[in-house]
Every structure is written in C-alpha cells, then in structure tokens.
Amino acid sequence: MEKIAVIVVVALVAGAALYLFARNVSSRQRLVRSAAATLAGALAAAGAVYGLEALTGDDTQMVDNAMTEARTLPLVGLVLTDVPDSEARLRASLKEEMRSPTTQGAPRPLVLMSELRAKYIVPALRAADASDAEGVLAARIALMRHLLGTNVAACRELALVGIQHADRLDPQGQQLMRNMLTAMEKAYRSGRTAMNSGAAPPAVPNDTEAQALLVEAGLTPTDFEQLQNLAKLSPEQACELGIRLNGTPSKLPADRAGGLARYLAAAQ
C-alpha cells in the first residue's frame, strides 16, 4: 500500500498543480500539461518502485506489475475498466517502451494516457453533478487544512508538485487523502452517467469566465499574481492560497458555484 500511495499522490497532484496554476496558457494547453504530469508522475513513481525488479524480471512480469499499479490509480483504473481496448493498448505501449525506450518526445504510455485522460476523464469531471464536483474541492480543502496545521511542507508540496512521501503523512492525513481520491471517483462516475444519458451537458465556464467568477468569489489581483509565482511563496502562503482557490465556489450563488466547481474539479 505504501507503493500505491506514493504513486497515487505524485501522479494526481502533479497534474492538478500544473493545470490550476498555469493560468498564462490556454485551457487546452493546461489540460495537456496536466495529463502529462499525471502519468509522468505515475511512471516516475512506478519506476522508482520497480526499478530494481527490472534488472531481474522479464517483460511480461514487469508489464503485469505496471498494470496492477495502474489499476490502483484513481480515475486511471476506472478508465481502464470503462474503455474496452484501453488496457490492451496500455499493456502494449508499456511493453514496447520497456523494450525500446523513447529517446525523443513523451514515452508511449504517457502519450496514451494523456489521450485517454483528455477524452474520458476531463469530460466526465466537467459533466459531474455540481454536488460531486464541490465534494472533490471540499475533500482537497480538508486535506490541505489538516496539513497546514500538521505538515505545512507537505501542504506546499501538494500545491506545487505533489506529496513526495505519502507514507510520512500522519494517519489522519492519509485518510483525508483517501477521502479526496474517493470524491474524485464519485465525481467521475456521476459525470460518466450524465454523459451516457444523452442529456445536455451542464454549463462549465471557459477560462475568461472562470477568472471572472474567481474575482467575484473574492480572489484579488495579488492572489492571481501569487498563483503565477506559487513556487516563490512560503509553505504557509502556498497552502493558504490553495485552500482559498478551492473554496471559491462556496462564495458564489448556487447557479454559478456548480460551474466553477466543475471547472476546478476537472483540473485535478
């Protein structure tokens, strides 16, 4: 479970941080960066976990190990179940990457998972029930508030690149992290159900509209400037800013809160 926790946190939060705080690029570019960071984190963490095994194991065993870990990643495992050919494609890309590592550009598994995330995960989160999207943000805030009081360095990591040593969180922190991942899964499922029902997709603001909503919810020009320079903030400042950002939908009327919640949840 420690292996899984490390991979989960590195993968998920790396993608969330790059998307949420890269506001000087387009939505599509942020989604691509987020997807890349998500799987890159997973691959890097899995590589650290299984690197020694690669010296002695054969390709089949290594691919099986990697697929087992992939299925434990929140949302990734769900997509592998929901999309009929995705598991076979990921297995083939892992095997090919192990036999002939990519020397230029993104590794094959990263390209594939970026494609799957953009095609299935992001649209599902953007179609989630407003309450489920808000639940994702609430769970993230709960984790960050706990870390602010118990492990502010880990909270800063969460805002920047992801917690590097999940096993060092206290028991409550680990439980809150699991709660966040469960909330993400619930939102994904509600979004998939809505998409499959054929109903009109719910409203989600574009980048310009989202920024206006964030201003309406109380973010200041200083806050936006700090978001652009998050790495330069103190651990306390970065953590507190992350809490405020994820709490913005709660500052809006219900008819606008849901759209902003979906916009933010789809980034994580």
Side-chain angles (χ1 to χ4, degrees):
M1 291 300 295
E2 291 179 355
K3 294 177 181 179
I4 294 171
V6 171
I7 294 171
V8 164
V9 177
V10 171
L12 276 180
V13 186
L18 283 182
Y19 184 98
L20 286 174
F21 304 126
R23 297 202 173 273
N24 58 330
V25 296
S26 69
S27 176
R28 182 179 181 278
Q29 286 174 316
R30 287 207 307 279
L31 290 175
V32 170
R33 290 185 184 185
S34 178
T38 297
L39 191 65
L43 291 175
V49 170
Y50 291 109
L52 291 178
E53 294 179 19
L55 298 176
T56 58
D58 59 22
D59 283 352
T60 299
Q61 185 59 51
M62 285 298 297
V63 170
D64 288 344
N65 288 340
M67 292 301 301
T68 297
E69 294 295 344
R71 282 200 165 276
T72 68
L73 297 174
L75 306 189
V76 172
L78 294 178
V79 169
L80 292 177
T81 298
D82 290 346
V83 182
D85 65 341
S86 60
E87 181 170 352
R89 292 176 65 194
L90 180 57
R91 184 177 291 275
S93 69
L94 285 165
K95 183 173 292 188
E96 185 64 23
E97 191 66 28
M98 290 175 183
R99 291 178 175 175
S100 178
T102 301
T103 57
Q104 293 184 345
R108 298 171 186 86
L110 175 57
V111 172
L112 173 60
M113 289 308 298
S114 296
E115 173 193 328
L116 293 174
R117 185 181 192 279
K119 188 173 181 179
Y120 298 101
I121 294 177
V122 170
L125 292 176
R126 290 172 69 88
D129 290 340
S131 60
D132 290 336
E134 290 165 0
V136 172
L137 305 184
R140 182 174 171 83
I141 289 171
L143 174 58
M144 297 188 82
R145 282 179 173 162
H146 175 74
L147 295 176
L148 180 61
T150 62
N151 191 339
V152 71
C155 191
R156 183 176 186 273
E157 286 183 349
L158 180 61
L160 286 173
V161 296
I163 297 173
Q164 301 300 298
H165 299 285
D167 56 320
R168 296 180 185 175
L169 297 181
D170 65 12
Q172 185 177 352
Q174 293 186 33
Q175 180 59 57
L176 289 170
M177 185 174 70
R178 288 192 291 271
N179 293 348
M180 182 182 71
L181 302 180
T182 298
M184 292 178 68
E185 179 175 330
K186 187 171 186 288
Y188 169 85
R189 282 298 187 203
S190 74
R192 286 281 291 178
T193 298
M195 292 170 64
N196 292 335
S197 71
V204 179
N206 59 34
D207 290 348
T208 301
E209 292 167 341
Q211 183 168 348
L213 289 172
L214 291 171
V215 171
E216 182 181 347
L219 289 195
T220 67
T222 298
D223 291 328
F224 286 107
E225 182 179 353
Q226 289 181 333
L227 287 171
Q228 295 283 355
N229 299 281
L230 195 64
K232 297 179 180 179
L233 302 183
S234 70
E236 292 81 3
Q237 288 176 313
C239 192
E240 290 171 353
L241 184 57
I243 292 170
R244 291 203 303 277
L245 178 66
N246 284 276
T248 50
S250 67
K251 309 294 185 182
L252 298 174
D255 62 334
R256 297 195 292 281
L260 182 59
R262 293 185 186 96
Y263 178 90
L264 295 174
Q268 302 185 54

